[in-house]
Amino acid sequence: MKGLLNDICANPGKFVANKMSTKPYKIIVGLEIHVHLATRTKMFCGCELAYGEAANTRTCPVCLGMPGTLPVMNKTAVEYAILTALALNCEIPSFTKWDRKSYYYPDLPKNYQISQYDLPLSRAGSIEIPLEEGGTKRIRITRAHLEEDAGKNVHTLGPFSAVDLNRAGTPLLEIVTEPDMNSPGEVRALAQELQRIVRFLGVSEGDMQKGHMRFEPNVNLHIEHGGQVFKTPITEVKNLNSFRALERSIAYEAARQYEEFLETGQTLQMGNKKTFGWDDVHEMTVLQREKEEAHDYRYFPDPDLVPVEVGPEWLEEIRGRMCELPLAMQNRLVSACGLSEYDAGVLTGERATAEFFDAAVKLGADPKRACNLLTQVGLKLANEAGTPVDQLKITPDHLAKLAGMIEAGTISATAANTLFERIAKNGGDPEASAKEMNLIQSSDSGEIEALVDAVIAEQAQAVQDVVQETKKAKKARGFLMGQVIQKSGGQANPKIVAQILSQKLDAMK
Amino acid sequence: MMDSLTARELRDRIAGGEVTSAEATEAYFRRIDKLEPTIGAYLSLFREAALERAGQIDRKIARGEPVGALAGVPVAIKDNLCTAFGATTCGSKILEHFQAPYHAHVVEKLLAADAVILGKTNLDEFAMGSSTENSGLQQTRNPRDVGRVPGGSSGGSAAATAARMCAAALGSDTGGSIRQPAGFCGVVGLKPTYGRVSRYGLVAYGSSLDQIGPVTRTVEDTALLLQVIAGADERDSTSVPEKMAPVPDYTASLDRPVEGLRIGVVPHLNAGADAAVQQAVDAALAVYTAQGARLVELEMPHFDYAISAYYVIATAEASSNLARYDGVHYGYRSPEAQDYVEVYSKSRDEGFGAEVKRRIMLGTYALSSGYYDAYYLKALKVRNLIRGDFTRAFEQADCLMLPVSPTTAFRMGEKTDDPLQMYLADVYTIGVNLAGVPGISIPCGFDETNLPIGLQIVSAPFTEETLLRIARMYEKQTDWHRKEPTL
Ligand SMILES: [Zn+2]
């Protein structure tokens, strides 16, 4: 069994693609996603959110849970949460409240977490996810609610454990889906779509490395056998913090559950839910809790906080901050700009990129050329600089001009890439920069004709290959092209070179 | 004798330069030196800091600078109010050495009003109790009879005020913890409307019930202290914004009697009290009717369920509020603990006293799945019915008058083995917390053994101004409040 599992893990996509169609089971996955909201301060105190600071430096008596302290709700966090819920087509009740969820753990200073229990700030929504095979699928959202994050236990300092409470109190949006996903790929697609949405909305950086998004899938199988459907016990995989781990853990669980079913015949019953962790090194799930412990969180309304009334005015104000969502924008770029699904997907990976592109097209840029420049050079540079595209020194206006210059034959596509990079780093006007860098193409046919003549005179062998249409004719033609452009110092417009060269060579036939 | 002056009188003389705060502070410390070994009201004293502060205020006065409403007045505060100086123990071993890094809102207010803080007073552990016998650190005796309890949980504040070991004090009241000890010790105690005073820095017991209030020798002093501590605080979401309930001038109108006062009385309630208590309350009502007040008989059909509802709600909240005392982040940690679960279980087992554990268990049970609806949810419903009783009562009457407690101060140890008897001692005060309305306890006589009896007056939310005027109408006609304990 272990051999099989390792095999599956090494290539989950292949396994799923091959086996899904032949194996008589369906994977059922529901997902809980925790998203850190990018507010300036924590959920219930004034501490500024920061990542990677020295332990326990971003704390105050409130988030340390000191005696006598009281929480005060961060209104912006509630607004971010509602905005996200609206993007997920959720209902937003006019009344929501805070509850205490009790459990003892050293990283939880009060030994209760302020969360939302029976009246979450949103419920009953849906998200459209793009499918690998094309098209989309609608996944139902059960609810999304706000809570405070816990701190972190640290076990690496010596023969003791320590607690870092910098993260304690970070606003955390918990999104719960219905069990509507049926493959590891769909789950990954949902996670990535959600990342794109929260980034578009600006409510979270969605940075996986910084733990801004954590996933907990609930997985089981519906196995068809002899006309009957058997449901395997549900397993919950805790605290996954990468798309890869999320996808692989589900593939692994599916195979493991199927094997287990064949061995034990065990089916889903009350209380036989198991909890697993994910071993990133061995790429396998590891059992944490055999039976779902009768976890009694003793929820009750937090008497230190007043309920939140979300009136129509406030709701409209929040709704007013809604932007075009990534999937809708992606579809628009395909239909209105003629881009491929892939290119539209890359451009809408980040709102800054998408808006940069949109602005350039509005200024008259050819969409395909603008897209190529932006995705091939812009994103690379942005990535290197660790900033969004719109933080580079290049503007949509520059991009539109560069695209126009390619279109007009003033510069080559390669030259445009060089110019993009230079302007992105140092700023400057595209035309002036092109002149300065000697990147303006020559389209003067007289000048080019002279160069072509010179090359034909010099390269008798290649000319002969073309004229006599030998096997090497095609290669020789390319070689002659290259020679002309080289002679021009790279400035001859390739279109015109090709034209003149063809005329001359054809005349020699 | 400086310690015989009320806080108001003392403040005026200090501000007027007749006496210095340093002299007053020294006088109080002499009194403390003499009586504290017998009474045991204080858990900590800040002798040097208090004298230094008194000196600063005296110099301010000498320079002719404006001074606050409590200029130089030596006060005491209950030890569940956080102070950035000294310890904040809550009368518990688990916090015996805990030093808060910040002041409670009311402490900031006292300091801003130029009060001098003498020390912090004893209480039932985490304010859970009615006799201060549940303190994990010290026993406090009633200055009226040192064989008797001072009441609780603000027993230290009431005893210190009655014994003139401070000019005035602050306590906290979750189910009667200011009013009952004030009654037992023969002083004035006010529980303000829930939300009137910020709870920031008050170590929580029952968060939806807790309020901080004054313990003083006169109604006027209570008005003076309430003026200082009342008002909105953005650090407490349950403190009521200024625009919804502005803080009036409590002292300005104090001497103006309430015209056509309608006093609500609930005959069946009073009938449950000892004969001496009933007589004293009846006599007090007569003092009011003699001034033109009219008695209105009221029904409070759900009042009898208050104790049951209270011990579910308060303990449920307490079980959660006290979860943080786990030996991990601060406070007592058991040296015996071998792993993190033992850090929790042993630290809590060794750090908490029996009554606190009992209430944590009760509250945990009430919130457990399968019991939540039958206990916690039902208690919330009862709470709403009790609120309704009070709302209807205040449609017919300006205030409600009833005993503070069914008995006078009981003997030390008398009820410690019977928690239920102890809980029943709060029968008259608990409903007021559940309804969130203000209630005051004022001295209204003595029983045959010379123990003080308290009259409780309750009014509608945010009507403390009227409540204090009503209390003052009685105080002006009587001199119970001037009867000092013989020590
Ligand atoms: Zn903080």
Side-chain angles (χ1 to χ4, degrees), chain A residues 65-69 71-72 100 104-106 111-112 296 304, chain B residues 102 199 201 234 237 320-321 323-324 326 329-330 344 348 369:
Chain A
M66 297 287 247
T69 58
V72 177
R100 293 184 182 178
Y104 280 83
Y105 207 59
N111 287 319
Y112 63 79
D296 188 349
D304 288 334
Chain B
Y102 55 94
R199 294 182 294 118
E234 59 182 21
S237 312
S320 165
N321 285 332
R324 70 189 67 192
D326 59 7
H329 301 97
Y330 48 78
Y344 293 150
R348 287 168 71 78
S369 82

PDB file of all heavy atoms in Angstrom, chain A residues 65-69 71-72 100 104-106 111-112 296 304, chain B residues 102 199 201 234 237 320-321 323-324 326 329-330 344 348 369:
ATOM      1  N   GLY A  65      -3.900  39.020  26.550  1.00  0.00           N
ATOM      2  CA  GLY A  65      -4.948  38.463  27.399  1.00  0.00           C
ATOM      3  C   GLY A  65      -4.715  38.753  28.874  1.00  0.00           C
ATOM      4  O   GLY A  65      -5.072  37.949  29.735  1.00  0.00           O
ATOM      5  N   MET A  66      -4.139  39.919  29.179  1.00  0.00           N
ATOM      6  CA  MET A  66      -3.877  40.259  30.578  1.00  0.00           C
ATOM      7  C   MET A  66      -5.198  40.468  31.328  1.00  0.00           C
ATOM      8  O   MET A  66      -6.188  40.877  30.742  1.00  0.00           O
ATOM      9  CB  MET A  66      -3.069  41.558  30.654  1.00  0.00           C
ATOM     10  CG  MET A  66      -1.708  41.471  30.016  1.00  0.00           C
ATOM     11  SD  MET A  66      -0.581  40.513  31.009  1.00  0.00           S
ATOM     12  CE  MET A  66       0.553  41.751  31.495  1.00  0.00           C
ATOM     13  N   PRO A  67      -5.174  40.240  32.655  1.00  0.00           N
ATOM     14  CA  PRO A  67      -6.391  40.437  33.447  1.00  0.00           C
ATOM     15  C   PRO A  67      -6.907  41.873  33.303  1.00  0.00           C
ATOM     16  O   PRO A  67      -6.113  42.810  33.307  1.00  0.00           O
ATOM     17  CB  PRO A  67      -5.923  40.205  34.888  1.00  0.00           C
ATOM     18  CG  PRO A  67      -4.621  39.502  34.785  1.00  0.00           C
ATOM     19  CD  PRO A  67      -4.028  39.839  33.468  1.00  0.00           C
ATOM     20  N   GLY A  68      -8.201  42.012  33.176  1.00  0.00           N
ATOM     21  CA  GLY A  68      -8.793  43.351  33.152  1.00  0.00           C
ATOM     22  C   GLY A  68      -8.850  43.999  31.784  1.00  0.00           C
ATOM     23  O   GLY A  68      -9.473  45.045  31.632  1.00  0.00           O
ATOM     24  N   THR A  69      -8.204  43.400  30.785  1.00  0.00           N
ATOM     25  CA  THR A  69      -8.254  44.011  29.458  1.00  0.00           C
ATOM     26  C   THR A  69      -9.538  43.627  28.744  1.00  0.00           C
ATOM     27  O   THR A  69     -10.158  42.623  29.066  1.00  0.00           O
ATOM     28  CB  THR A  69      -7.065  43.572  28.592  1.00  0.00           C
ATOM     29  OG1 THR A  69      -7.068  42.148  28.483  1.00  0.00           O
ATOM     30  CG2 THR A  69      -5.757  44.036  29.200  1.00  0.00           C
ATOM     31  N   PRO A  71     -11.584  43.596  24.726  1.00  0.00           N
ATOM     32  CA  PRO A  71     -11.406  43.720  23.274  1.00  0.00           C
ATOM     33  C   PRO A  71     -12.222  44.880  22.705  1.00  0.00           C
ATOM     34  O   PRO A  71     -13.301  45.189  23.222  1.00  0.00           O
ATOM     35  CB  PRO A  71     -11.975  42.385  22.764  1.00  0.00           C
ATOM     36  CG  PRO A  71     -13.021  42.021  23.775  1.00  0.00           C
ATOM     37  CD  PRO A  71     -12.548  42.554  25.092  1.00  0.00           C
ATOM     38  N   VAL A  72     -11.696  45.517  21.677  1.00  0.00           N
ATOM     39  CA  VAL A  72     -12.463  46.523  20.944  1.00  0.00           C
ATOM     40  C   VAL A  72     -12.393  46.149  19.463  1.00  0.00           C
ATOM     41  O   VAL A  72     -11.318  45.966  18.911  1.00  0.00           O
ATOM     42  CB  VAL A  72     -11.882  47.940  21.162  1.00  0.00           C
ATOM     43  CG1 VAL A  72     -12.645  48.962  20.333  1.00  0.00           C
ATOM     44  CG2 VAL A  72     -11.940  48.310  22.642  1.00  0.00           C
ATOM     45  N   ARG A 100     -17.371  33.387  22.241  1.00  0.00           N
ATOM     46  CA  ARG A 100     -16.115  32.848  22.749  1.00  0.00           C
ATOM     47  C   ARG A 100     -16.071  31.339  22.484  1.00  0.00           C
ATOM     48  O   ARG A 100     -17.035  30.639  22.786  1.00  0.00           O
ATOM     49  CB  ARG A 100     -15.996  33.090  24.255  1.00  0.00           C
ATOM     50  CG  ARG A 100     -15.863  34.556  24.617  1.00  0.00           C
ATOM     51  CD  ARG A 100     -15.651  34.692  26.111  1.00  0.00           C
ATOM     52  NE  ARG A 100     -15.557  36.087  26.529  1.00  0.00           N
ATOM     53  CZ  ARG A 100     -15.416  36.464  27.796  1.00  0.00           C
ATOM     54  NH1 ARG A 100     -15.352  35.543  28.756  1.00  0.00           N
ATOM     55  NH2 ARG A 100     -15.330  37.740  28.104  1.00  0.00           N
ATOM     56  N   TYR A 104      -8.010  25.019  25.678  1.00  0.00           N
ATOM     57  CA  TYR A 104      -6.744  25.356  26.317  1.00  0.00           C
ATOM     58  C   TYR A 104      -5.590  25.039  25.387  1.00  0.00           C
ATOM     59  O   TYR A 104      -5.440  23.901  24.944  1.00  0.00           O
ATOM     60  CB  TYR A 104      -6.576  24.570  27.622  1.00  0.00           C
ATOM     61  CG  TYR A 104      -7.342  25.175  28.769  1.00  0.00           C
ATOM     62  CD1 TYR A 104      -8.694  24.909  28.955  1.00  0.00           C
ATOM     63  CD2 TYR A 104      -6.708  26.038  29.658  1.00  0.00           C
ATOM     64  CE1 TYR A 104      -9.395  25.474  30.004  1.00  0.00           C
ATOM     65  CE2 TYR A 104      -7.401  26.611  30.717  1.00  0.00           C
ATOM     66  CZ  TYR A 104      -8.739  26.322  30.878  1.00  0.00           C
ATOM     67  OH  TYR A 104      -9.424  26.894  31.911  1.00  0.00           O
ATOM     68  N   TYR A 105      -4.809  26.041  25.070  1.00  0.00           N
ATOM     69  CA  TYR A 105      -3.577  25.813  24.316  1.00  0.00           C
ATOM     70  C   TYR A 105      -2.638  26.984  24.604  1.00  0.00           C
ATOM     71  O   TYR A 105      -3.095  28.121  24.697  1.00  0.00           O
ATOM     72  CB  TYR A 105      -3.878  25.679  22.810  1.00  0.00           C
ATOM     73  CG  TYR A 105      -2.849  24.827  22.111  1.00  0.00           C
ATOM     74  CD1 TYR A 105      -2.643  23.503  22.520  1.00  0.00           C
ATOM     75  CD2 TYR A 105      -2.055  25.340  21.091  1.00  0.00           C
ATOM     76  CE1 TYR A 105      -1.677  22.730  21.902  1.00  0.00           C
ATOM     77  CE2 TYR A 105      -1.093  24.561  20.473  1.00  0.00           C
ATOM     78  CZ  TYR A 105      -0.905  23.261  20.884  1.00  0.00           C
ATOM     79  OH  TYR A 105       0.047  22.497  20.290  1.00  0.00           O
ATOM     80  N   PRO A 106      -1.348  26.706  24.761  1.00  0.00           N
ATOM     81  CA  PRO A 106      -0.443  27.788  25.186  1.00  0.00           C
ATOM     82  C   PRO A 106      -0.393  28.986  24.235  1.00  0.00           C
ATOM     83  O   PRO A 106      -0.083  30.091  24.669  1.00  0.00           O
ATOM     84  CB  PRO A 106       0.926  27.100  25.258  1.00  0.00           C
ATOM     85  CG  PRO A 106       0.613  25.661  25.510  1.00  0.00           C
ATOM     86  CD  PRO A 106      -0.667  25.398  24.759  1.00  0.00           C
ATOM     87  N   ASN A 111      -7.181  31.530  26.548  1.00  0.00           N
ATOM     88  CA  ASN A 111      -7.745  30.180  26.504  1.00  0.00           C
ATOM     89  C   ASN A 111      -9.187  30.176  26.000  1.00  0.00           C
ATOM     90  O   ASN A 111      -9.940  29.249  26.231  1.00  0.00           O
ATOM     91  CB  ASN A 111      -7.602  29.454  27.844  1.00  0.00           C
ATOM     92  CG  ASN A 111      -6.154  29.037  28.073  1.00  0.00           C
ATOM     93  OD1 ASN A 111      -5.484  28.578  27.153  1.00  0.00           O
ATOM     94  ND2 ASN A 111      -5.657  29.235  29.276  1.00  0.00           N
ATOM     95  N   TYR A 112      -9.530  31.243  25.333  1.00  0.00           N
ATOM     96  CA  TYR A 112     -10.703  31.220  24.457  1.00  0.00           C
ATOM     97  C   TYR A 112     -10.385  32.138  23.286  1.00  0.00           C
ATOM     98  O   TYR A 112      -9.572  33.044  23.398  1.00  0.00           O
ATOM     99  CB  TYR A 112     -12.002  31.641  25.164  1.00  0.00           C
ATOM    100  CG  TYR A 112     -12.063  33.052  25.683  1.00  0.00           C
ATOM    101  CD1 TYR A 112     -12.317  34.127  24.844  1.00  0.00           C
ATOM    102  CD2 TYR A 112     -11.894  33.321  27.037  1.00  0.00           C
ATOM    103  CE1 TYR A 112     -12.384  35.425  25.330  1.00  0.00           C
ATOM    104  CE2 TYR A 112     -11.955  34.614  27.532  1.00  0.00           C
ATOM    105  CZ  TYR A 112     -12.202  35.665  26.673  1.00  0.00           C
ATOM    106  OH  TYR A 112     -12.267  36.940  27.153  1.00  0.00           O
ATOM    107  N   ASP A 296     -15.761  19.991  23.022  1.00  0.00           N
ATOM    108  CA  ASP A 296     -16.838  20.878  23.431  1.00  0.00           C
ATOM    109  C   ASP A 296     -16.246  22.259  23.636  1.00  0.00           C
ATOM    110  O   ASP A 296     -15.552  22.506  24.615  1.00  0.00           O
ATOM    111  CB  ASP A 296     -17.475  20.355  24.725  1.00  0.00           C
ATOM    112  CG  ASP A 296     -18.731  21.135  25.079  1.00  0.00           C
ATOM    113  OD1 ASP A 296     -18.980  22.183  24.447  1.00  0.00           O
ATOM    114  OD2 ASP A 296     -19.452  20.697  25.985  1.00  0.00           O
ATOM    115  N   ASP A 304     -18.078  40.928  26.461  1.00  0.00           N
ATOM    116  CA  ASP A 304     -17.246  42.133  26.395  1.00  0.00           C
ATOM    117  C   ASP A 304     -17.445  42.922  25.100  1.00  0.00           C
ATOM    118  O   ASP A 304     -16.930  44.022  24.963  1.00  0.00           O
ATOM    119  CB  ASP A 304     -15.757  41.761  26.508  1.00  0.00           C
ATOM    120  CG  ASP A 304     -15.382  41.337  27.913  1.00  0.00           C
ATOM    121  OD1 ASP A 304     -16.065  41.789  28.856  1.00  0.00           O
ATOM    122  OD2 ASP A 304     -14.431  40.560  28.067  1.00  0.00           O
TER     123      ASP A 304
ATOM    124  N   TYR B 102      -0.476  48.274  33.509  1.00  0.00           N
ATOM    125  CA  TYR B 102      -1.313  49.425  33.170  1.00  0.00           C
ATOM    126  C   TYR B 102      -2.296  49.694  34.303  1.00  0.00           C
ATOM    127  O   TYR B 102      -2.570  48.824  35.130  1.00  0.00           O
ATOM    128  CB  TYR B 102      -2.087  49.163  31.871  1.00  0.00           C
ATOM    129  CG  TYR B 102      -2.895  47.903  31.947  1.00  0.00           C
ATOM    130  CD1 TYR B 102      -4.231  47.939  32.332  1.00  0.00           C
ATOM    131  CD2 TYR B 102      -2.308  46.664  31.719  1.00  0.00           C
ATOM    132  CE1 TYR B 102      -4.956  46.770  32.468  1.00  0.00           C
ATOM    133  CE2 TYR B 102      -3.024  45.490  31.860  1.00  0.00           C
ATOM    134  CZ  TYR B 102      -4.353  45.565  32.228  1.00  0.00           C
ATOM    135  OH  TYR B 102      -5.053  44.406  32.374  1.00  0.00           O
ATOM    136  N   ARG B 199     -15.187  49.342  32.495  1.00  0.00           N
ATOM    137  CA  ARG B 199     -14.631  48.185  33.202  1.00  0.00           C
ATOM    138  C   ARG B 199     -13.184  47.926  32.812  1.00  0.00           C
ATOM    139  O   ARG B 199     -12.589  46.939  33.260  1.00  0.00           O
ATOM    140  CB  ARG B 199     -15.467  46.936  32.871  1.00  0.00           C
ATOM    141  CG  ARG B 199     -16.880  46.994  33.393  1.00  0.00           C
ATOM    142  CD  ARG B 199     -17.617  45.690  33.065  1.00  0.00           C
ATOM    143  NE  ARG B 199     -17.807  45.500  31.642  1.00  0.00           N
ATOM    144  CZ  ARG B 199     -17.306  44.489  30.936  1.00  0.00           C
ATOM    145  NH1 ARG B 199     -16.573  43.552  31.517  1.00  0.00           N
ATOM    146  NH2 ARG B 199     -17.531  44.392  29.636  1.00  0.00           N
ATOM    147  N   GLY B 201      -9.645  47.372  32.937  1.00  0.00           N
ATOM    148  CA  GLY B 201      -8.724  47.249  34.064  1.00  0.00           C
ATOM    149  C   GLY B 201      -9.358  46.679  35.318  1.00  0.00           C
ATOM    150  O   GLY B 201      -8.691  46.505  36.324  1.00  0.00           O
ATOM    151  N   GLU B 234     -13.389  54.397  25.299  1.00  0.00           N
ATOM    152  CA  GLU B 234     -13.380  53.612  24.061  1.00  0.00           C
ATOM    153  C   GLU B 234     -12.720  52.244  24.224  1.00  0.00           C
ATOM    154  O   GLU B 234     -12.843  51.390  23.352  1.00  0.00           O
ATOM    155  CB  GLU B 234     -12.723  54.399  22.918  1.00  0.00           C
ATOM    156  CG  GLU B 234     -11.300  54.804  23.201  1.00  0.00           C
ATOM    157  CD  GLU B 234     -10.700  55.628  22.060  1.00  0.00           C
ATOM    158  OE1 GLU B 234     -11.497  56.196  21.275  1.00  0.00           O
ATOM    159  OE2 GLU B 234      -9.468  55.694  21.981  1.00  0.00           O
ATOM    160  N   SER B 237     -16.095  48.395  25.186  1.00  0.00           N
ATOM    161  CA  SER B 237     -17.192  48.482  24.205  1.00  0.00           C
ATOM    162  C   SER B 237     -18.548  48.516  24.882  1.00  0.00           C
ATOM    163  O   SER B 237     -19.541  48.886  24.254  1.00  0.00           O
ATOM    164  CB  SER B 237     -17.153  47.278  23.264  1.00  0.00           C
ATOM    165  OG  SER B 237     -15.862  47.067  22.767  1.00  0.00           O
ATOM    166  N   SER B 320     -15.148  31.197  31.758  1.00  0.00           N
ATOM    167  CA  SER B 320     -14.409  31.622  30.571  1.00  0.00           C
ATOM    168  C   SER B 320     -13.392  32.715  30.935  1.00  0.00           C
ATOM    169  O   SER B 320     -12.234  32.663  30.523  1.00  0.00           O
ATOM    170  CB  SER B 320     -15.428  32.119  29.540  1.00  0.00           C
ATOM    171  OG  SER B 320     -14.817  32.845  28.532  1.00  0.00           O
ATOM    172  N   ASN B 321     -13.822  33.690  31.737  1.00  0.00           N
ATOM    173  CA  ASN B 321     -12.922  34.793  32.119  1.00  0.00           C
ATOM    174  C   ASN B 321     -11.688  34.301  32.872  1.00  0.00           C
ATOM    175  O   ASN B 321     -10.612  34.876  32.767  1.00  0.00           O
ATOM    176  CB  ASN B 321     -13.664  35.807  33.002  1.00  0.00           C
ATOM    177  CG  ASN B 321     -14.625  36.666  32.211  1.00  0.00           C
ATOM    178  OD1 ASN B 321     -14.418  36.902  31.017  1.00  0.00           O
ATOM    179  ND2 ASN B 321     -15.687  37.129  32.853  1.00  0.00           N
ATOM    180  N   ALA B 323     -10.271  31.390  32.569  1.00  0.00           N
ATOM    181  CA  ALA B 323      -9.505  30.357  31.859  1.00  0.00           C
ATOM    182  C   ALA B 323      -8.066  30.800  31.628  1.00  0.00           C
ATOM    183  O   ALA B 323      -7.164  29.990  31.522  1.00  0.00           O
ATOM    184  CB  ALA B 323     -10.178  30.038  30.522  1.00  0.00           C
ATOM    185  N   ARG B 324      -7.860  32.138  31.562  1.00  0.00           N
ATOM    186  CA  ARG B 324      -6.528  32.654  31.214  1.00  0.00           C
ATOM    187  C   ARG B 324      -5.515  32.460  32.345  1.00  0.00           C
ATOM    188  O   ARG B 324      -4.315  32.567  32.110  1.00  0.00           O
ATOM    189  CB  ARG B 324      -6.633  34.134  30.841  1.00  0.00           C
ATOM    190  CG  ARG B 324      -6.952  35.045  31.993  1.00  0.00           C
ATOM    191  CD  ARG B 324      -7.264  36.443  31.512  1.00  0.00           C
ATOM    192  NE  ARG B 324      -8.523  36.473  30.748  1.00  0.00           N
ATOM    193  CZ  ARG B 324      -8.925  37.507  30.020  1.00  0.00           C
ATOM    194  NH1 ARG B 324      -8.166  38.576  29.922  1.00  0.00           N
ATOM    195  NH2 ARG B 324     -10.083  37.465  29.388  1.00  0.00           N
ATOM    196  N   ASP B 326      -3.527  30.292  33.803  1.00  0.00           N
ATOM    197  CA  ASP B 326      -3.157  28.920  33.473  1.00  0.00           C
ATOM    198  C   ASP B 326      -1.703  28.604  33.770  1.00  0.00           C
ATOM    199  O   ASP B 326      -1.217  27.521  33.469  1.00  0.00           O
ATOM    200  CB  ASP B 326      -3.466  28.641  31.993  1.00  0.00           C
ATOM    201  CG  ASP B 326      -2.722  29.592  31.063  1.00  0.00           C
ATOM    202  OD1 ASP B 326      -1.879  30.379  31.549  1.00  0.00           O
ATOM    203  OD2 ASP B 326      -2.977  29.542  29.840  1.00  0.00           O
ATOM    204  N   HIS B 329       1.320  32.205  30.938  1.00  0.00           N
ATOM    205  CA  HIS B 329       1.754  33.551  30.550  1.00  0.00           C
ATOM    206  C   HIS B 329       2.142  34.442  31.723  1.00  0.00           C
ATOM    207  O   HIS B 329       2.987  35.313  31.595  1.00  0.00           O
ATOM    208  CB  HIS B 329       0.670  34.223  29.726  1.00  0.00           C
ATOM    209  CG  HIS B 329       0.334  33.462  28.478  1.00  0.00           C
ATOM    210  ND1 HIS B 329      -0.735  32.596  28.397  1.00  0.00           N
ATOM    211  CD2 HIS B 329       0.964  33.391  27.299  1.00  0.00           C
ATOM    212  CE1 HIS B 329      -0.743  32.054  27.200  1.00  0.00           C
ATOM    213  NE2 HIS B 329       0.263  32.510  26.510  1.00  0.00           N
ATOM    214  N   TYR B 330       1.488  34.283  32.863  1.00  0.00           N
ATOM    215  CA  TYR B 330       1.791  35.097  34.045  1.00  0.00           C
ATOM    216  C   TYR B 330       1.118  34.429  35.233  1.00  0.00           C
ATOM    217  O   TYR B 330       0.363  33.468  35.075  1.00  0.00           O
ATOM    218  CB  TYR B 330       1.276  36.544  33.886  1.00  0.00           C
ATOM    219  CG  TYR B 330      -0.148  36.619  33.410  1.00  0.00           C
ATOM    220  CD1 TYR B 330      -1.211  36.391  34.283  1.00  0.00           C
ATOM    221  CD2 TYR B 330      -0.441  36.853  32.072  1.00  0.00           C
ATOM    222  CE1 TYR B 330      -2.506  36.407  33.853  1.00  0.00           C
ATOM    223  CE2 TYR B 330      -1.752  36.868  31.622  1.00  0.00           C
ATOM    224  CZ  TYR B 330      -2.774  36.657  32.515  1.00  0.00           C
ATOM    225  OH  TYR B 330      -4.072  36.662  32.083  1.00  0.00           O
ATOM    226  N   TYR B 344      -1.236  23.598  33.328  1.00  0.00           N
ATOM    227  CA  TYR B 344      -2.616  24.052  33.494  1.00  0.00           C
ATOM    228  C   TYR B 344      -3.235  23.480  34.767  1.00  0.00           C
ATOM    229  O   TYR B 344      -3.695  24.208  35.645  1.00  0.00           O
ATOM    230  CB  TYR B 344      -3.496  23.583  32.323  1.00  0.00           C
ATOM    231  CG  TYR B 344      -3.193  24.189  30.977  1.00  0.00           C
ATOM    232  CD1 TYR B 344      -3.432  23.485  29.814  1.00  0.00           C
ATOM    233  CD2 TYR B 344      -2.692  25.486  30.870  1.00  0.00           C
ATOM    234  CE1 TYR B 344      -3.174  24.034  28.570  1.00  0.00           C
ATOM    235  CE2 TYR B 344      -2.438  26.042  29.627  1.00  0.00           C
ATOM    236  CZ  TYR B 344      -2.681  25.299  28.477  1.00  0.00           C
ATOM    237  OH  TYR B 344      -2.437  25.852  27.255  1.00  0.00           O
ATOM    238  N   ARG B 348      -3.657  25.626  38.277  1.00  0.00           N
ATOM    239  CA  ARG B 348      -5.017  26.047  38.600  1.00  0.00           C
ATOM    240  C   ARG B 348      -5.508  25.375  39.888  1.00  0.00           C
ATOM    241  O   ARG B 348      -6.188  26.004  40.703  1.00  0.00           O
ATOM    242  CB  ARG B 348      -5.957  25.757  37.427  1.00  0.00           C
ATOM    243  CG  ARG B 348      -5.730  26.721  36.265  1.00  0.00           C
ATOM    244  CD  ARG B 348      -6.416  26.297  34.983  1.00  0.00           C
ATOM    245  NE  ARG B 348      -7.868  26.416  34.990  1.00  0.00           N
ATOM    246  CZ  ARG B 348      -8.546  27.544  34.831  1.00  0.00           C
ATOM    247  NH1 ARG B 348      -7.896  28.678  34.688  1.00  0.00           N
ATOM    248  NH2 ARG B 348      -9.864  27.558  34.822  1.00  0.00           N
ATOM    249  N   SER B 369     -22.115  21.453  25.947  1.00  0.00           N
ATOM    250  CA  SER B 369     -23.108  21.086  24.929  1.00  0.00           C
ATOM    251  C   SER B 369     -24.032  20.039  25.538  1.00  0.00           C
ATOM    252  O   SER B 369     -23.614  19.151  26.269  1.00  0.00           O
ATOM    253  CB  SER B 369     -22.433  20.577  23.662  1.00  0.00           C
ATOM    254  OG  SER B 369     -22.084  19.234  23.797  1.00  0.00           O
TER     255      SER B 369
END
